[in-house]
Amino acid sequence: MTIITKAACIGGGVIGGAWAARFALAGIDVNIFDPHPEAERIIGEVMANAERAYGMLTMAPLPPRGKFTFCKSIEDAVEDVDWIQESVPERLPLKRGVITEIDAAARPDALIGSSTSGLLPSDLQAEMKHPERMFVAHPYNPVYLLPLVELVGGKKTSPETIRRAEAAVAEIGMKGVVIAKEIEAFVGDRLLEALWREALWLIQDDICDTETLDDVMRYSFGMRWAQMGLFETYRIAGGEAGMRHFLAQFGPCLKWPWTKFTDVVDLDDALVEKIGAQSDAQAAGRSVRELERIRDENLVGIMHALKAGDGGKGWGAGKLLADFEKRLWAKGGDQSKTYDASRPLRLVDTKVNAAWVDYNGHMTEHRYLQLFGDTSDALLRLIGVDFAYVQAGHSYYTVETHIRHLGEAKPGQALYTTLQLLRVDEKRIHFFTSIHDAASGDVIATAEQMMLHVDAKAGKSVPAPAEVMAKLTPIAEAHAKLPPPEGAGRHVGQRR
């Protein structure tokens, strides 16, 4: 059962706007209240970044985008919604007052999450009539891409509320981590504050500048943390003896006077200007929106790499993405009622994202193969060969491929694919796929391929079942009446 069918975002800044984008891209209508005069423009820009990022992140069929409704009051925004996310500035009296106002106007069963970075939920829920449904839902920026949300209950929060919240965020592709006890700044921000405090001292004492410090992180342990976190990384550092050996060897170092974690740096005007000037130089003229796009492209690339981790099973955020995509395909992958077999099937629409581009400035070779694979996967879902079918032990394997590159695909270019069946029998599907420029319809590349139906456990080809053939055969019969596609039957080196 879907937990969130409609949401409300109270506050539409960097975090609130990104929450709204996360909900909308999951197909959820969102009511928004933010008194800022340019709230619609700001959230619109965040949404544009989010849609661009999702275009790079996944080719799974997203639900129709949820609708934004900008409301004139909190009361209007929270009326008859399932989840309300508060993201107003980090001041306890303000947040408590807003949450109390939400509580008075919302349905008694509506979930109320706060994006606070460190305030205690017990303090936030102190004046509520229904405090049992309020909790901290602390995300990380950009909320539409980074999947983690810390779920922290207060003294009056019910366990059922936390269970519902954890299930609800999973529906929108997020990882809800339940924090066992409420504490200021929770887990993530306590770690970040410790690192941030030490970083400020390093800049203050002229040990390094901001770019050097960022380089130390992004070229070393930052990469490790992205895929394995802290303790599992240190377990490996302990060698075959594991974590106990690591602690015995390096634990005594914690008593050495290396850090200034307990001292607070004085952020006076001089230090603020020093850090600001170094940060300006480091940005090299890039705007915040440009940096956001670069950040999003990099995060997408990391998640794609992690999706292939652990022998293709997925790892960390990549496994979460793979599981989310499975749910999306299960909900929206069946196109059996909409295809037109009187022409080649149009199965995939996409854009060339920056991660697909090579040093020549156009789409690299293996991405063409990926796009052809996505198209054949779409055909298989069309005929009933979905995740459940594969998990039951049968599938189609590609055994032969011939690709022609006829043009170039550039970053941001919109593409679509078409597929025409050439020959079909109970074991084989022979088909021809074309990648087209969406604007002109010109063919950029083609692939002629053969797939065999296999029993994965037996490791051999077997006839496809009647229910698959019943869906495949009508398409094949319709396509047999079409003229053969240009290039079908070619071999490498053959002249046009």
Side-chain angles (χ1 to χ4, degrees):
M1 179 177 128
T2 301
I3 296 173
I4 310 175
T5 59
K6 191 172 185 179
C9 288
I10 308 304
V14 172
I15 297 298
W19 266 113
R22 169 71 79 166
F23 287 129
L25 289 171
I28 297 168
D29 290 340
V30 187
N31 290 346
I32 300 168
F33 172 74
D34 190 315
H36 193 288
E38 295 192 69
E40 292 192 39
R41 176 190 63 79
I42 294 169
I43 293 175
E45 290 179 358
V46 173
M47 188 67 204
N49 271 358
E51 289 187 303
R52 179 177 179 273
Y54 268 52
M56 296 184 288
L57 182 66
T58 183
M59 298 188 74
L62 295 173
R65 177 183 144 178
K67 180 179 68 173
F68 286 165
T69 301
F70 289 86
C71 302
K72 297 185 181 300
S73 68
I74 289 177
E75 183 177 3
D76 289 344
V78 304
E79 182 181 2
D80 200 30
V81 302
D82 305 302
W83 179 299
I84 300 119
Q85 188 68 24
E86 170 275 311
S87 304
V88 302
E90 195 79 351
R91 299 193 296 273
L92 178 57
L94 173 62
K95 280 187 174 287
R96 179 188 286 159
V98 167
I99 288 171
T100 301
E101 188 174 348
I102 291 169
D103 180 50
R107 288 195 332 246
D109 63 334
L111 295 170
I112 302 175
S114 173
S115 297
T116 178
S117 298
L119 298 176
L120 294 176
S122 290
D123 291 339
L124 294 173
Q125 65 188 187
E127 298 174 1
M128 296 176 66
K129 291 183 178 179
H130 300 283
E132 70 283 350
R133 41 77 170 272
M134 185 270 155
F135 54 96
V136 165
H138 175 237
Y140 289 80
N141 193 35
V143 182
Y144 53 78
L145 268 184
L146 291 184
L148 186 84
V149 54
E150 292 177 292
L151 301 174
V152 191
K155 294 176 182 176
K156 298 179 181 179
T157 306
S158 73
E160 176 61 21
T161 290
I162 297 298
R163 284 193 291 270
R164 288 176 62 206
E166 188 176 11
V169 296
E171 292 178 353
I172 59 174
M174 300 186 81
K175 170 71 172 178
V177 173
V178 179
I179 307 304
K181 297 179 181 180
E182 66 172 333
I183 186 174
E184 291 89 347
F186 324 125
V187 174
D189 277 351
R190 293 178 78 87
L191 297 174
L192 289 174
E193 184 192 357
L195 182 62
W196 173 238
R197 188 185 303 235
E198 188 67 22
L200 290 174
W201 276 114
L202 291 170
I203 305 301
Q204 162 72 21
D205 294 344
D206 293 319
I207 306 300
C208 63
D209 60 15
T210 59
E211 184 168 11
T212 299
L213 191 145
D214 284 350
D215 282 348
V216 169
M217 295 181 64
R218 61 189 172 195
Y219 290 110
S220 63
F221 56 82
M223 297 176 70
R224 296 190 313 207
W225 287 353
Q227 53 85 36
M228 202 165 273
L230 182 65
F231 281 101
E232 204 155 27
T233 293
Y234 283 166
R235 178 181 180 84
I236 294 173
E240 293 185 359
M243 179 59 78
R244 291 172 181 81
H245 173 69
F246 177 85
L247 292 172
Q249 184 174 4
F250 295 104
C253 300
L254 297 174
K255 298 181 181 180
W256 296 354
W258 278 3
T259 71
K260 297 186 178 182
F261 278 159
T262 58
D263 298 328
V264 180
V265 68
D266 183 11
L267 276 171
D268 56 19
D269 291 345
L271 181 55
V272 169
E273 178 55 32
K274 182 180 185 178
I275 294 173
Q278 291 180 10
S279 179
D280 290 343
Q282 184 179 350
R286 298 184 184 93
S287 70
V288 170
R289 290 290 175 257
E290 288 177 293
L291 291 171
E292 286 175 343
R293 288 191 286 271
I294 292 169
R295 173 203 65 192
D296 290 355
E297 290 169 5
N298 294 340
L299 290 173
V300 166
I302 290 169
M303 283 190 274
H304 282 170
L306 292 174
K307 193 169 77 166
D310 193 19
K313 298 176 184 176
W315 184 266
K319 185 177 188 306
L320 189 73
L321 172 60
D323 291 343
F324 181 54
E325 288 179 323
K326 287 181 182 179
R327 292 196 297 273
L328 289 174
W329 284 120
K331 289 181 178 180
D334 182 9
Q335 307 171 29
S336 59
K337 297 180 181 179
T338 61
Y339 73 83
D340 179 5
S342 67
R343 63 186 69 188
L345 304 176
R346 181 165 173 167
L347 294 175
V348 172
D349 286 80
T350 190
K351 285 185 178 180
V352 181
N353 71 63
W356 294 7
V357 176
D358 64 14
Y359 53 85
N360 291 314
H362 53 70
M363 192 162 80
T364 193
E365 291 181 5
H366 76 274
R367 296 297 182 180
Y368 286 92
L369 188 58
Q370 175 187 326
L371 197 47
F372 289 127
D374 290 335
T375 305
S376 61
D377 284 347
L379 171 69
L380 294 180
R381 288 189 296 273
L382 197 65
I383 62 175
V385 181
D386 54 15
F387 285 111
Y389 187 91
V390 172
Q391 289 174 348
H394 291 82
S395 186
Y396 277 91
Y397 289 179
T398 302
V399 294
E400 193 170 343
T401 298
H402 176 232
I403 294 177
R404 294 187 304 159
H405 297 279
L406 307 175
E408 296 181 354
K410 299 295 182 66
Q413 185 174 352
L415 307 174
Y416 69 88
T417 67
T418 58
L419 182 148
Q420 182 174 337
L421 296 180
L422 301 179
R423 288 181 296 167
V424 166
D425 62 31
E426 60 183 7
K427 289 187 178 181
R428 294 174 293 184
I429 305 177
H430 181 194
F431 57 98
F432 191 92
T433 303
S434 300
I435 299 175
H436 302 260
D437 172 65
S440 65
D442 293 344
V443 177
I444 294 174
T446 68
E448 186 172 350
Q449 295 176 282
M450 178 79 74
M451 293 191 297
L452 283 181
H453 187 265
V454 298
D455 181 328
K457 295 178 182 177
K460 64 179 182 179
S461 62
V462 295
E467 57 268 25
V468 169
M469 295 304 298
K471 294 181 178 180
L472 182 60
T473 301
I475 305 173
E477 290 174 348
H479 283 191
K481 300 174 184 177
L482 301 175
E486 188 279 322
R490 281 180 51 86
H491 58 77
V492 174
Q494 181 179 340
R495 292 183 178 179
R496 294 188 184 182

